[in-house]
Every structure is written in C-alpha cells, then in structure tokens.
C-alpha cells in the first residue's frame, strides 16, 4: 500500500505550503490570521470527511474528534428512540451492504433532529450510521420520506417526520440519490401488514431509470401502489413529496398528476396511473391487469388525458411505437445510452494528470502519463508515472 | 502559470469549498480566494513533480477518447490499476490529461 501511506503526508505538505504562501496575501488584504487558520481547518476537515485519504490527523482533527464524541452522546438518545421504532426490521443487512460501499456521506435525521445543524449530523454519521442502517427503515417511517425537502441544495439533509432513514448519496457531479433498496420495501410490507400506508409510499431507485432527472429525490409512488396492492392513503404526502422532490418541472407536474390520479382511483386497481406515469418512468409498471390502460383513461379528467397524450406523443417519436399504452412500460428498452446513467454514480473514478505520449495503432492505444491524482472507488492515489494499454 | 487541472480533485475541491464558505461569510474576498487557488495550483504541481515517485500500470478497454485544446479525455471500462504492491479495479474511469511537455507555456484556462 505504498500509495496509501504517502498520501496523507503529501497532502499535508501541500496544505502547509499553500497556507504559508498565502499568509502574505492574506495580510496584504488585511485579512486576519484567524481566517487563514479557519481556512486550513475547513480544508483539513473536508479532506477527513471525504474519506479519500486515510490517517489524516492533525491537532485540529484531534480536537474535532473530541467535539464529535461529545455530540455523539447527545445523539445516542435520539438514536435509541429511532432504534426502538425500527427494531422490527431486521433484514436491513442488505441496506448496510448497499450503503457502506457508498462513498458519499450519509445523513440520518431522527425526527427530533430536524433543527439540528447539518454539520452535526454529518459528523456523527459514521458512527451512528452503523446503528441506523442496521435497523433500517421502518414501514411507518417510510411514509415520512414524502415530507422530504428538495434533495438538492442541502444535499445531505433529509428531514423526515417519522425518523425515516434515508441515505442521500451525492454523486460526483452533484446529483443526488436516495438509496433504498426495493427489496426492503416489499419485505417490510410483509412484516408489517398493519401499516400498509407507509411501505406503500416508500420508494427508491438509485439512478433514475428512463433518463429522467439526475437530481433530486426520486420517489415513485406507482411502484408503491403496486407493491402494496390497493391502498394508497398517503396521497397528500405523496403529492408533497413528488412536488418537492422532482427537479424538472415537467416531471414534478407529472408526478403530482400521477398522484392525483391515484387519489381518484383509490378504490379500483391502479392501472390507469401508469398511463401518464409510464410516459416518464417506464419501469414503473403500475398495472394490475396488464393492458387495461386505455379503458381506464376515460375515467380521468380531460386535462390529465391531454397531458398524458402529449407525453405519449413524445414517447412515440422516440420509440415509434403504435401501441402507446401497452408499449410504454417497455420503452425503457429504447434507451440505448445506458452507460450515461452510470455517470451518475456517487464516485466517478477520475484521473487528472498530464500526458507524455499517447499512441495508437489501429485500435490499440498506449498511454504514457505522469504526475497524476486518481480517485478510484472513493480513494485517492497519486502517481508520478503511469503507463496503460487499452483497446478501443 | 501552473495547470489548474488539479482543482477537481479531493484536495482541490475541498479547498474550493472551504474558500466558498469563507466568501459566503464574507471573511475573504473572491479575489483573495482566486489567489489562493492559484497558489494551490503551483503547490500541487510542484508537489506532484517533486515529491511523488511511484509508477502505476493500468489496462482496460477504451470506451471513448477526445482530444481538444490539447487536452486528452478518455473513458475506460473494466480497468485494472496496478502498482507494485496492490491492485485496484474499476468498472469505469475517466482520465483527463493535459500536455505534459510544454507546461510552462500553456495555461489550461487561457481565454482567447
């Protein structure tokens, strides 16, 4: 692990160099030395939080960790409360596995903690996360997901009214996802038949399929309805969440409409929902009876129908399908550029470097690179020289 | 002027974020922040050139390549990075490389 060991030292020396060099600049501008120290502290903290570098300790870090521990004690109480709620759920081990590889920070906000400053929670995450993720998301808590604020700007914050645990993962390009494995949802429903509403609403897909939005919370009420069967009672929350969560205006409107549709057709099976929803979210197959969409469309408002038709037309242009309704759920296969979705991962492995020589023979490429910094699987590496081969 | 290439790294981004926070609280001016970043560019370029002495090999399949403004950008799939001691595998990696030869005469962010 030679690369590993050298990194903290290297980074520290760079930080020291920069700070020392800019000290003069700061003084020239009349900025207090205190600000300079604050810059250094902030810088080092972020490096520490990123977990890209190991063993990165300074005196300030030690003090910070002491402060963190104090805060954690405060958190313990709240954690316990949440734990009680979530004791039922035991299959969350899946969540753990899903979460831990995730590199980005994860924020858990127990209900009482909505007012807590962001940094506090973030700081404690690494410790609490273990507990929280172990217990996972309770069915009741999932309903709270819908009260999510826009998941964009405070990208790590998820305020839930019922102690819902949501892991917000920040992608390298700033996009965000809420990771909640689908399996859990279903299992939870089985475990807690009493509370149908909550699990029904909970939803997650990490990267948004169908190329919808790359940002914001992704909540798909349709699946929820399907999974649970019929009951959809958390509609106001759904609407709220859908409205808040989605970034693109269209998508938000569409989802809200979808929710409205769900509301209207609560009693019956929800095959009509997919009509519009599928236009934007092909994987969300909400139909219970297969191809009964066209008939149920008549039951809806004209507005929604028109809206849906517009979407369908767009889809038609893309897919060139005749059987709109039936084919919509399958439109996902039209999307060839699957790899673009992969760019929305939380860690885009990046190498920034300089090239000495790039050579190509037919389709065989050779790379001679130097002085590079790599971020692979969330960790940082450096090299003075790198030689590579690839076939195109 | 040194390459501003390394600003989009963990080290560089954390610095930029910290500077942004200080600007938000108006503890420093944007101009000063820019100066700090320029200083960072110099420092990181120097550090990489002088303080790092290791070699890495890698192999994979090339998905896309681009050469524009003397900057190569590659996207590789299923890549193995190998150093003497360890091995790192990734499904996808993006490589951004500036010209390493005549660095002193080039500035990546020159505007014409």
């Amino acid at each position: 692990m030679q690369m590993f060991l050298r990194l903290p030292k290297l980074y520290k020396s760079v930080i020291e160099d920069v700070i020392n060099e800019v000290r003069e600049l700061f003084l020239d501008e009349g900025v207090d030395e205190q600000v300079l120290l604050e810059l250094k502290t902030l810088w080092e903290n972020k490096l520490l939080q990123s977990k890209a570098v190991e063993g990165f300790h300074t005196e300030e870090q030690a003090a910070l960790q002491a402060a963190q521990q104090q805060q954690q004690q405060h958190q313990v109480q709240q954690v316990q409360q949440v734990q009680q709620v979530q004791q039922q759920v035991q299959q969350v081990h899946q969540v753990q596995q899903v979460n831990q590889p995730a590199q980005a920070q994860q924020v858990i906000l127990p209900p009482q903690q909505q007012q807590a400053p962001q940094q506090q929670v973030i700081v404690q995450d690494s410790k609490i996360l273990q507990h929280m993720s172990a217990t996972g998301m309770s069915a009741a808590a999932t309903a709270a997901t819908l009260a999510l604020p826009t998941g964009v700007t405070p990208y790590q914050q998820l305020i839930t009214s019922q102690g819902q645990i949501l892991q917000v993962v920040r992608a390298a390009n700033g996009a965000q996802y809420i990771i909640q494995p689908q399996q859990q949802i279903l299992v939870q429903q089985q475990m807690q038949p009493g509370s149908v509403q909550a699990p029904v609403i909970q939803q997650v897909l990490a990267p948004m399929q169908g190329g919808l939005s790359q940002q914001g919370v992704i909540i798909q009420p349709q699946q929820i309805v399907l999974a649970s069967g019929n009951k959809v009672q958390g509609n106001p929350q759904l609407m709220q969440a859908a409205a808040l969560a989605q970034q693109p205006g269209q998508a938000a409107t569409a989802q809200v409409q979808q929710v409205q549709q769900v509301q209207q057709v609560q009693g019956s099976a929800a095959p009509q929902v997919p009509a519009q929803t599928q236009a934007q979210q092909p994987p969300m197959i909400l139909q219970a009876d297969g191809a009964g969409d066209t008939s149920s469309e008549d039951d809806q408002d004209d507005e929604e129908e028109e809206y849906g038709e517009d979407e369908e037309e767009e889809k038609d242009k893309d897919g060139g399908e005749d059987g709109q309704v039936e084919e919509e759920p399958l439109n996902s296969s039209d999307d060839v550029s699957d790899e673009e979705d992969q760019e929305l991962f939380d860690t885009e492995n990046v190498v920034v470097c300089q090239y000495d020589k790039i050579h190509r023979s037919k389709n065989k490429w050779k790379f001679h690179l130097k002085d590079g910094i790599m971020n692979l699987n969330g960790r940082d590496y450096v090299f003075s020289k790198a030689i590579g081969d690839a076939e195109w | 002027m040194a390459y501003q290439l390394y600003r989009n790294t963990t080290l560089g981004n954390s610095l930029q974020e910290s500077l942004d926070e200080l600007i938000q609280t108006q503890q420093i001016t944007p101009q000063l922040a820019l100066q700090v970043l320029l200083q960072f560019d110099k420092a990181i370029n120097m550090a990489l050139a002088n303080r790092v002495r290791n070699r890495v090999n890698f192999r994979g399949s090339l998905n896309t390549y681009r050469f524009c403004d003397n900057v190569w950008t590659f996207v590789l799939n299923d890549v193995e990075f190998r150093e003497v001691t360890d091995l790192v595998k990734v499904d996808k990696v993006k490589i951004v490389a500036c010209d390493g030869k005549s660095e002193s005469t080039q500035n990546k962010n020159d505007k014409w």
Side-chain angles (χ1 to χ4, degrees), chain A residues 157-209:
Chain A
Q157 234 182 9
L158 288 184
I159 300 176
T160 68
S161 59
Q162 298 183 21
Q164 169 67 29
I165 295 180
L166 291 180
Q167 290 102 17
V168 179
V169 177
R170 180 170 71 92
N173 58 3
Q176 308 157 27
Y177 305 94
I178 294 187
I179 297 181
Q180 291 175 350
Q182 253 184 354
Q183 297 169 353
Q184 278 194 341
I185 300 168
L186 297 177
V187 178
Q188 285 177 357
Q189 292 166 356
Q190 294 166 8
M191 296 270 296
Q192 298 160 350
S195 58
V196 179
Q197 313 170 16
V200 168
I201 299 170
Q202 179 183 5
Q203 185 46 41
V204 171
L205 275 186
M208 184 61 177
Q209 298 176 13

Side-chain angles (χ1 to χ4, degrees), chain A residues 321-388:
Chain A
E321 298 282 356
D322 285 340
Q324 298 174 4
V325 176
E326 292 181 8
E327 292 300 324
E328 270 174 358
L330 305 178
N331 270 353
S332 55
S333 59
D334 291 344
D335 195 354
V336 180
S337 58
D338 240 1
E339 295 187 23
E340 289 180 7
D341 293 337
Q342 293 176 10
E343 294 179 11
L344 311 180
F345 275 3
D346 48 336
T347 301
E348 163 144 336
N349 304 303
V350 177
V351 177
V352 279
C353 57
Q354 300 172 30
Y355 61 88
D356 277 329
K357 196 163 188 66
I358 304 289
H359 174 79
R360 177 195 64 86
S361 229
K362 296 247 171 91
N363 73 333
K364 305 275 186 279
W365 289 71
K366 290 196 197 307
F367 314 95
H368 292 255
L369 310 170
K370 70 175 187 185
D371 295 343
I373 299 182
M374 311 195 279
N375 185 279
L376 305 173
N377 297 328
R379 311 188 93 156
D380 271 8
Y381 307 84
V382 288
F383 61 82
S384 64
K385 268 175 99 64
I387 301 192

Side-chain angles (χ1 to χ4, degrees), chain B residues 56-102:
Chain B
V56 168
N57 289 316
F58 62 94
R59 178 177 297 276
S61 47
L62 186 61
N63 186 314
T64 62
Y65 56 87
R66 175 188 301 140
F67 183 60
C68 182
D69 290 337
N70 277 328
V71 177
W72 275 105
T73 306
F74 304 102
V75 175
L76 277 71
N77 290 119
D78 300 324
V79 196
E80 286 187 4
F81 288 86
R82 211 176 277 270
E83 209 187 1
V84 176
T85 48
D86 51 7
L87 167 72
V88 180
K89 289 196 199 182
V90 295
D91 289 336
K92 179 178 169 210
V93 66
K94 175 190 270 194
I95 301 182
V96 179
C98 288
D99 196 344
K101 276 165 268 177
S102 51

Side-chain angles (χ1 to χ4, degrees), chain A residues 228-247:
Chain A
S228 71
N230 290 325
K231 297 182 189 176
V232 181
Q233 300 182 16
N235 286 325
Q237 287 175 335
L238 269 176
M239 289 181 59
Q240 232 185 5
L244 287 175
Q246 278 296 341
Q247 286 289 311

Side-chain angles (χ1 to χ4, degrees), chain A residues 66-301:
Chain A
Q68 288 178 13
Q69 287 168 2
Q70 288 174 6
Q71 289 172 356
Q72 281 170 6
Q73 291 172 1
H74 292 293
Q75 293 300 324
V76 168
Q77 287 181 357
Q78 292 166 346
V79 171
Q80 287 173 353
Q81 289 173 7
V82 181
Q83 279 179 347
Q84 287 170 4
V85 173
Q86 297 158 345
Q87 271 174 3
Q88 301 173 9
V89 182
Q90 296 174 1
Q91 67 282 8
V92 184
H93 297 294
Q94 295 168 359
V95 176
Q96 254 183 351
Q97 292 169 3
V98 170
N99 294 335
Q100 286 173 359
Q103 171 232 355
Q105 302 169 16
Q106 298 170 343
V107 174
I108 301 163
L109 288 180
Q112 302 81 357
Q113 234 188 341
Q114 293 182 11
Q115 301 135 6
Q118 281 189 24
Q119 291 182 355
Q120 257 191 3
V121 182
I122 294 173
V123 158
Q124 299 146 12
D125 270 352
S126 53
K127 308 280 176 147
I128 299 179
L129 181 60
Q130 302 286 331
H131 296 281
M132 304 294 265
S133 56
T135 52
M137 305 162 259
S138 72
T142 60
T145 13
L146 307 179
L148 291 174
T150 55
V152 181
T153 357
Y155 64 82
Q156 291 169 340
Q157 234 182 9
L158 288 184
I159 300 176
T160 68
S161 59
Q162 298 183 21
Q164 169 67 29
I165 295 180
L166 291 180
Q167 290 102 17
V168 179
V169 177
R170 180 170 71 92
N173 58 3
Q176 308 157 27
Y177 305 94
I178 294 187
I179 297 181
Q180 291 175 350
Q182 253 184 354
Q183 297 169 353
Q184 278 194 341
I185 300 168
L186 297 177
V187 178
Q188 285 177 357
Q189 292 166 356
Q190 294 166 8
M191 296 270 296
Q192 298 160 350
S195 58
V196 179
Q197 313 170 16
V200 168
I201 299 170
Q202 179 183 5
Q203 185 46 41
V204 171
L205 275 186
M208 184 61 177
Q209 298 176 13
L212 225 190
S213 166
Q214 301 182 6
Q215 298 175 354
V217 172
I218 300 170
I219 296 183
Q220 293 148 354
Q222 304 81 7
Q223 275 192 350
I224 298 163
V225 176
L226 175 66
S228 71
N230 290 325
K231 297 182 189 176
V232 181
Q233 300 182 16
N235 286 325
Q237 287 175 335
L238 269 176
M239 289 181 59
Q240 232 185 5
L244 287 175
Q246 278 296 341
Q247 286 289 311
Q250 264 193 1
T253 326
Q255 274 198 348
V256 172
Q257 285 184 349
Q258 294 159 7
V259 174
Q260 290 171 355
Q261 296 162 19
V262 172
Q263 279 178 341
Q264 291 171 6
V265 200
Q266 270 188 10
S268 62
Q272 81 289 358
V273 179
Q276 278 86 11
T277 64
Q278 286 161 9
Q280 292 180 342
Q281 300 170 357
M284 301 308 110
I285 302 177
L286 193 49
Q287 310 175 26
D289 59 348
D293 302 325
T294 33
S295 60
S296 50
E297 268 182 345
D298 298 338
D299 296 336
Q300 296 167 4
D301 289 344

Side-chain angles (χ1 to χ4, degrees), chain A residues 25-26 29, chain B residues 19 23 28-38:
Chain A
L25 290 173
F26 270 56
E29 289 260 335
Chain B
L19 288 171
I23 292 178
I28 62 175
T29 64
Q31 181 63 23
L32 184 56
L34 183 61
Q35 297 290 325
V36 175
L37 282 173
L38 290 174

